Amino acid sequence: MRGPAVVILAAGKGTRMPPDLPKVLHPMAGRPLLSHVLDTVRGLQPDRVLLVLGHRAAEIEAAVATEDVEIVLQREQRGTGDAVRASGAALAGFSGTVLVVYGDVPLLRSETLAELLELHRQENNAASILTASFEDPGGYGRIVRDTAGLCTGVVEQRDLAPGQETIQEINSGIIAFEAADLFPALGQLQPANASGELYLTDVIGLLYRSGRRIGSYHLRDAAEILGVNTLEQLYEVERVHASRLRNPAPPCELCAAAARVARAAGAASGDHLLLGSGELAGLKVALQPFNNGHLLAFPRRHVTTLLALTPEEVAELAHWVRRGESALRAVYPFDALNMGCNSGTGEHLAFHLVPRWGGDISFLPLLAGLKLIPETPARAWKRLSEVMS
Ligand SMILES: [Zn+2]
């Protein structure tokens, strides 16, 4: 599959930053903000990378001279819609996904963008917005939804209708578009104000009204979309970056198990409580505190929603769910097996298999004193792997 074209917007003036450097060349952790964004984008293996420059373009272009990026000049800074439109000529023959990001968001992760793109593809969206929620969303464009929960548009702060101020879900500005939808819609944009600015977010409403589907991917770590417009914000991203280095996110339990499989060429591993795995999916005993017989059937890729699964992965997951049920039945003869799935929580997708006994076999009593399997995960792994071998 072909990678996206990534359009990085970096034409803004950054008038609230010290003038010794263009805004996106101010350093975080000793490297320009823009270098961090370029690294993030490279992680997606993009087909093209376009950098839209305007203010102090020559200095920025010189700073990225060794990078494989295409420079696009925005002559006058007439809004985000105009900035993306400036890349239209360069992308004239491009027919895939266009991902719009910003040169001043150094904390953004490649994994986040990959998940946004995966959702965009799976849902067959015209546009997919990276969103976040803030207690105090003042200043940000808000995500407006219809009664079915589908995104219908983005309303900027000053255009909020009564009642809309309470919306906490905001537009990060980072949006994946289909090129075939994006550029015609950009051509229809009307200036949003007297200075003739064109807003990229107005494209969302246009596409929705033309019957196209708009998706969204909600960030759990809202720090990823922090932009830098002031020195205070530069200190803030530096602080968050440093704390990430000191306290790296613990590796995902299921990715660790999958990595173990890859290294051990399919051998089951008691260390990771793995009961078996194939090319695409695996089965393991859950860690504490879920040692009451929970098994996890999980895709080996780190995906966080059912929508991201391929039909092949679904088939292999079903295989491991069945093998898990028969192993549990052999070791702990139960009355019923409950199954839960964590799609959309931001965690690695998994199906939990939970044996149940007695008259009440619904899921809720899990919270209140249900009968547990009196074994440690390691012991459960040992007995289950014996019946599976
Ligand atoms: Zn994972």
Side-chain angles (χ1 to χ4, degrees), residues 46 52 57 152 260 264 388:
V52 180
T152 61
R260 185 86 185 188
M388 284 183 70

Side-chain angles (χ1 to χ4, degrees), residues 33 40 203 223 258 266:
L33 297 174
T40 299
V203 165

Side-chain angles (χ1 to χ4, degrees), residues 118 122 255 258 280 299-303 308-310 313 348:
E118 184 68 28
Q122 289 285 337
C255 282
L280 305 172
R300 288 182 55 186
R301 283 191 307 142
H302 184 93
V303 299
L309 293 177
T310 65
E313 284 170 322
H348 196 127

